[in-house]
Amino acid sequence: MVNKRTLGKDGPAIHPVGLGCMGMSEFYGAADDAKSISVIHHAVDSGVNFLDTADMYGSGRNEELVGRAIADRRDKVVLATKFAILRGEGGSFEGISGKPEYVKKACDASLARLGLDHIDVYYQHRVDPNVPIEETVGAMAELVSAGKVRYLGLSEASADIVRRACAVHPITALQTELSLWSRDPEDEVLDVCAELGVTFVAYSPLGRGFLTGAIKSVDDLAENDFRRNLPRFSRENFHKNLELVTKIEELADKRGVTPAQLALAWVLSRGEHVVSIPGTRSATRVDENAAAAEITLSADELATIDAIAPQGVAIGGRYPG
């Protein structure tokens, strides 16, 4: 039986390994809505109750997909979605908005696409540098008062921003990339979240699939897979980064688990306030990932992992530019 973790200080109990739904609608090749809905059903029915989407995934299509999938399972799901990244015609990226008036407009649009009367966790997807966080969170807090949102979250926010936001309204979750090749949150953010009672939600905990060992070449990715544009997946850096995966595979094999399970178990070992939301379009992978919550790494294993995957081990940045 998996020990669930509490979302924030007093939120619902969630499975430590949730399900990121982004790739079901965009970024990772062709979409198959029917299959994706079956995967979501499998996840929820097996106890994976923390689902993650955003209004910008598929320019709204992912919210519509998730909404259809959970319509008859709403009471079993803790649903998170996000606002702030603006998409234009044809899916173009038009910037970020944390303007109070936009917050409310975006929430209403998400609720309509999801077909729901409330969102469990509503994140600001990226911090708007042109709008004080106090103003954005103030508008988000009004959504809580109106019953449209239960809990507030931020994504990719600094420790200082989290503190300032919490002074306006309790922040329940901070979603930021964390994995064996993206360890920056260990510098300060993880500790601040623990101090303030904020759940840290690790996205891309499997290095966008790289740490699973399933991707051995850039050519394994679909032509329209957005990872082809990421520095760590470039032909120049790919094979250098594979050296890390090989070491993870060896350690996982020694432990009798999969590389993905080892990588997820490591993320969860960062603290009881840490959960993860690996994305997948496979029911088999849902089960494999969920089982990682039952793995406890020993001090020796954690020391070995620190030696083979220290902070900064990945070659190339997380994003272009």
Side-chain angles (χ1 to χ4, degrees), residues 181 231-234 236-238 240-241 312-317:
W181 75 351
R232 293 179 183 179
F233 286 83
S234 72
E236 178 184 359
N237 296 330
F238 194 98
K240 297 175 186 176
N241 286 322
V313 68
I315 307 300

Side-chain angles (χ1 to χ4, degrees), residues 266-308:
W266 177 85
V267 167
L268 298 180
S269 76
R270 299 303 86 189
E272 284 296 314
H273 66 303
V274 177
V275 299
S276 62
I277 48 167
T280 184
R281 297 186 288 189
S282 159
T284 301
R285 292 291 190 189
V286 167
D287 294 340
E288 175 187 343
N289 293 342
E294 300 177 58
I295 298 170
T296 300
L297 299 173
S298 69
D300 286 346
E301 287 171 326
L302 290 171
T304 299
I305 290 171
D306 277 339
I308 67 176

Side-chain angles (χ1 to χ4, degrees), residues 158-219:
S158 67
D160 176 62
I161 290 291
V162 173
R163 285 190 186 281
R164 286 168 54 192
C166 284
V168 176
H169 187 279
I171 298 299
T172 295
L174 172 68
Q175 182 178 137
T176 295
E177 186 169 353
L178 174 67
S179 71
L180 286 172
W181 75 351
S182 295
R183 297 182 59 169
D184 294 351
E186 292 180 285
D187 284 343
E188 184 179 11
V189 172
L190 281 175
D191 287 343
V192 168
C193 285
E195 173 195 337
L196 299 175
V198 178
T199 293
F200 184 96
V201 181
Y203 79 79
S204 295
L206 298 176
R208 305 186 191 282
F210 200 95
L211 300 174
T212 66
I215 307 168
K216 299 300 185 184
S217 165
V218 175
D219 296 322

Side-chain angles (χ1 to χ4, degrees), residues 3-302:
N3 289 321
K4 292 187 175 180
R5 298 188 174 183
T6 302
L7 186 62
K9 291 180 179 179
D10 54 5
I14 55 173
H15 196 292
V17 182
L19 177 61
C21 300
M22 178 185 82
M24 294 177 175
S25 300
E26 193 180 12
F27 303 113
Y28 292 104
D32 183 335
D33 285 3
K35 181 181 178 183
S36 292
I37 287 174
S38 72
V39 170
I40 292 172
H41 285 173
H42 177 81
V44 175
D45 293 346
S46 62
V48 176
N49 66 333
F50 190 39
L51 303 186
D52 184 89
T53 181
D55 62 0
M56 63 83 72
Y57 299 159
S59 295
R61 294 190 305 277
N62 195 242
E63 286 184 326
E64 293 171 351
L65 170 73
V66 173
R68 293 199 305 274
I70 69 170
D72 62 349
R73 292 164 168 80
R74 180 65 180 102
D75 61 339
K76 295 182 178 180
V77 172
V78 177
L79 179 72
T81 191
K82 316 176 197 73
F83 75 93
I85 298 179
L86 308 176
R87 301 290 294 269
E89 293 296 322
S92 61
F93 289 89
E94 305 289 337
I96 296 169
S97 177
K99 294 179 180 178
E101 60 272 22
Y102 177 72
V103 173
K104 298 170 185 178
K105 176 182 174 183
C107 180
D108 286 342
S110 286
L111 287 169
R113 283 188 293 267
L114 290 161
L116 302 178
D117 62 2
H118 75 277
I119 294 162
D120 295 314
V121 184
Y122 199 43
Y123 294 101
Q124 182 182 15
H125 207 158
R126 291 293 186 273
V127 176
D128 186 342
N130 299 313
V131 179
I133 193 64
E134 290 82 1
E135 293 183 16
T136 302
V137 173
M140 293 169 71
E142 291 179 19
L143 297 173
V144 176
S145 298
K148 295 180 178 181
V149 171
R150 293 184 67 197
Y151 304 100
L152 302 185
L154 301 175
S155 181
E156 291 284 349
S158 67
D160 176 62
I161 290 291
V162 173
R163 285 190 186 281
R164 286 168 54 192
C166 284
V168 176
H169 187 279
I171 298 299
T172 295
L174 172 68
Q175 182 178 137
T176 295
E177 186 169 353
L178 174 67
S179 71
L180 286 172
W181 75 351
S182 295
R183 297 182 59 169
D184 294 351
E186 292 180 285
D187 284 343
E188 184 179 11
V189 172
L190 281 175
D191 287 343
V192 168
C193 285
E195 173 195 337
L196 299 175
V198 178
T199 293
F200 184 96
V201 181
Y203 79 79
S204 295
L206 298 176
R208 305 186 191 282
F210 200 95
L211 300 174
T212 66
I215 307 168
K216 299 300 185 184
S217 165
V218 175
D219 296 322
D220 290 338
L221 306 177
E223 286 297 327
N224 61 342
D225 192 308
F226 95 114
R227 288 172 291 187
R228 285 178 174 268
N229 301 314
L230 302 181
R232 293 179 183 179
F233 286 83
S234 72
R235 293 191 183 278
E236 178 184 359
N237 296 330
F238 194 98
H239 289 288
K240 297 175 186 176
N241 286 322
L242 268 184
E243 295 175 11
L244 167 62
V245 176
T246 299
K247 293 174 183 176
I248 292 170
E249 287 176 322
E250 292 171 353
L251 186 58
D253 186 60
K254 185 177 179 181
R255 175 63 192 263
V257 299
T258 68
Q261 289 172 332
L262 183 76
L264 288 170
W266 177 85
V267 167
L268 298 180
S269 76
R270 299 303 86 189
E272 284 296 314
H273 66 303
V274 177
V275 299
S276 62
I277 48 167
T280 184
R281 297 186 288 189
S282 159
T284 301
R285 292 291 190 189
V286 167
D287 294 340
E288 175 187 343
N289 293 342
E294 300 177 58
I295 298 170
T296 300
L297 299 173
S298 69
D300 286 346
E301 287 171 326
L302 290 171

